[in-house]
Amino acid sequence: MSESLLPLAMAALTLIGILAGYRVGMVLAGSAAIFILISDLPTAFFNLLVSRIYANVLSNWLLVAIPMFILMGLILETSGVAERSLRAAQRALGGSAGGMGVSVLVIGVLLAASSGIVGASVVLLALLALPRLEEAGYDKSTSAGLVAASGTLAILIPPSVMLIVLGDQLQTPVPDMFAGAIGPGLMLVGAYAAYVIWRARGLPAMPQTHRVSLWQLLFDLGPLLSLVVCVLGSIIAGLATPTEASGIGALGALLITVLYGQFSIGMLMTAAKKTVVTTAVVLFVMIGATCFSAVFKGVGGDDLVEAGIMAFGTDPYTVLAVVMGAIFLLGFVLDWLEITLILMPIFAPIVAGLDFGNGLAGQDILIWFGILVAVNLQTSFLTPPFGFSLFYLRGAAGDRLTTPQIYKGVAPFIALQVAVLVLLIVFPRLITGFTS
């Protein structure tokens, strides 16, 4: 086989395998094994793969933060602590129709900062918010889009597993990645809020059937907010590493369940089992992607991708537009984890070598690029047909929503995400202004 066709064949085989429904980790590792055998790479390349797996995944202390943050979120979800806080916030913020819509956004931010798990956020918001949004007079499509978009904030707002993986792949400090995501996260929330308030114009005020005292509100929300502030504040302020802060977060979540009388061994075992399964899936994909990336580069894939990008022109912003466009389109069919692990080792060196003339250099360019990718990848949770948030919402909503209503509802929020992405490209200080 021609050397120029090897990387194309490898990419095609991998994509076909993933779309056919096979396990992503198996597909990535299997493609790597096949193309080692049919290419002229030396058999010693296997030793390189083993050393890369050990150095990049198995002995990477940073990745310990992934299961700990997942455990923190699952403890809060399984114990009912998250739902308790959400109901209190909903009663406090719901008043006018616009206020009801904004309260869903606030709840989404709270969930994002406390769990970082998109599935849990979307399902909880669907169960809690959809009935109230219908009572407020929102049409079903707008309600669906608001719930899906608010729940998906969990993938961007720290502590985000995606930012940890991106920081590892780009070799940038995770605290800086967390800090860099603050501005974009607030921009997305502001854009969503403006759209929701605009959609709520003319809707009547909601009757207040539930009221909550200030002390009850503080008791229901205070511990969770304190946990978020302690975890994120310790990371961003440099008082703790992400790994250390993730341990603090998991312990803090347990203490909150004790405070509310929700702690039990059964609850802890359920959260732990889910954490093991989720972590195993993530790390297995990382191992497979490490093999795939090494072999793909070995057969000339990185040179082919760079040549393909440069064929559109050598202007830095043209190159960036092509990269962002490729990531956006792949988000329709692939998960963020596969895109991150496969493409970042290829795209990052290309972008890092460009001069955008925006005053950024070195590490700042990679942080800027990483957050741009994160915002771009967030759309992959909302884009049909394989957007995971759409699946979560469809399952949780039952007969309350149809698939066309969900697709119609998320379209404006995808457009808002793209608009925010453009602003972040034009004004990079919206990202780097929050970093050290």
Side-chain angles (χ1 to χ4, degrees):
M1 185 180 294
S2 170
E3 288 187 3
S4 61
L5 294 179
L6 274 176
L8 291 175
M10 187 175 180
L13 177 64
T14 303
L15 185 60
I16 290 171
I18 292 174
L19 294 179
Y22 292 101
R23 297 288 183 182
V24 173
M26 294 292 291
V27 172
L28 293 172
S31 296
I34 290 172
F35 279 83
I36 282 181
L37 297 176
I38 67 175
S39 67
D40 59 357
L41 292 174
T43 54
F45 209 80
F46 279 106
N47 295 330
L48 174 63
L49 292 183
V50 172
S51 64
R52 282 200 176 191
I53 291 171
Y54 181 77
N56 294 350
V57 182
L58 300 183
S59 63
N60 192 337
W61 185 248
L62 174 64
L63 298 183
V64 176
I66 292 177
M68 298 306 290
F69 277 132
I70 292 173
L71 178 62
M72 181 182 83
L74 287 173
I75 288 174
L76 295 173
E77 176 201 359
T78 307
S79 65
V81 169
E83 183 174 353
R84 176 181 184 142
S85 299
L86 299 185
R87 289 189 182 278
Q90 192 177 58
R91 290 195 297 268
L93 296 171
S96 65
M100 184 64 232
V102 173
S103 73
V104 175
L105 273 173
V106 172
I107 292 169
V109 173
L110 184 64
L111 275 177
S114 60
S115 71
I117 303 173
V118 171
S121 298
V122 173
V123 170
L124 274 174
L125 282 174
L127 296 175
L128 293 175
L130 280 178
R132 294 285 286 166
L133 288 170
E134 288 186 17
E135 291 175 13
Y138 287 95
D139 62 86
K140 291 182 179 293
S141 293
T142 301
S143 299
L146 176 59
V147 168
S150 299
T152 307
L153 289 170
I155 203 63
L156 177 65
I157 294 178
S160 162
V161 172
M162 179 167 70
L163 294 179
I164 295 173
V165 176
L166 273 169
D168 178 66
Q169 293 295 306
L170 298 174
Q171 296 298 298
T172 56
V174 172
D176 285 346
M177 293 293 290
F178 280 5
I182 293 175
L186 293 175
M187 290 176 65
L188 284 174
V189 172
Y192 294 169
Y195 174 72
V196 168
I197 292 172
W198 177 74
R199 292 291 297 176
R201 67 194 191 284
L203 296 179
M206 295 180 62
Q208 285 283 36
T209 56
H210 298 89
R211 294 187 180 275
V212 59
S213 68
L214 177 60
W215 291 113
Q216 186 64 44
L217 180 63
L218 290 175
F219 182 70
D220 288 343
L221 288 177
L224 188 57
L225 290 174
S226 299
L227 177 65
V228 171
V229 171
C230 289
V231 172
L232 296 186
S234 63
I235 295 174
I236 295 174
L239 301 176
T241 66
T243 303
E244 293 166 344
S246 66
I248 295 172
L251 176 61
L254 277 177
L255 294 178
I256 291 176
T257 63
V258 173
L259 174 66
Y260 290 144
Q262 300 295 323
F263 176 80
S264 69
I265 297 298
M267 176 278 296
L268 181 58
M269 291 302 296
T270 299
K273 288 177 181 178
K274 291 182 179 179
T275 300
V276 170
V277 172
T278 304
T279 304
V281 171
V282 171
L283 293 184
F284 191 55
V285 172
M286 293 187 76
I287 291 173
T290 299
C291 297
F292 178 90
S293 177
V295 176
F296 189 70
K297 287 185 176 181
V299 298
D302 53 344
D303 295 331
L304 183 65
V305 170
E306 184 174 359
I309 293 174
M310 294 302 177
F312 289 89
T314 58
D315 177 73
Y317 284 98
T318 300
V319 173
L320 183 63
V322 173
V323 169
M324 290 292 118
I327 292 173
F328 179 79
L329 293 176
L330 286 173
F332 280 82
V333 294
L334 295 179
D335 187 25
W336 71 268
L337 189 58
E338 296 109 61
I339 295 173
T340 299
L341 296 175
I342 294 172
L343 296 183
M344 286 307 98
I346 298 173
F347 287 162
I350 298 174
V351 174
L354 298 174
D355 181 9
F356 291 91
N358 54 13
L360 300 183
Q363 196 80 265
D364 284 343
I365 283 186
L366 287 177
I367 293 172
W368 174 59
F369 175 63
I371 300 301
L372 292 180
V373 171
V375 175
N376 198 341
L377 287 175
Q378 190 180 356
T379 63
S380 68
F381 281 82
L382 299 178
T383 47
F386 298 120
F388 280 89
S389 291
L390 310 183
F391 293 143
Y392 298 137
L393 177 58
R394 187 69 182 88
D399 296 333
R400 193 180 293 272
L401 293 172
T402 64
T403 299
Q405 286 172 336
I406 294 174
Y407 285 0
K408 179 182 177 182
V410 298
F413 292 93
I414 294 173
L416 289 173
Q417 288 181 343
V418 173
V420 169
L421 181 62
V422 172
L423 287 174
L424 295 173
I425 292 174
V426 176
F427 304 105
R429 293 298 174 186
L430 293 171
I431 295 173
T432 59
F434 290 87
T435 61
S436 57

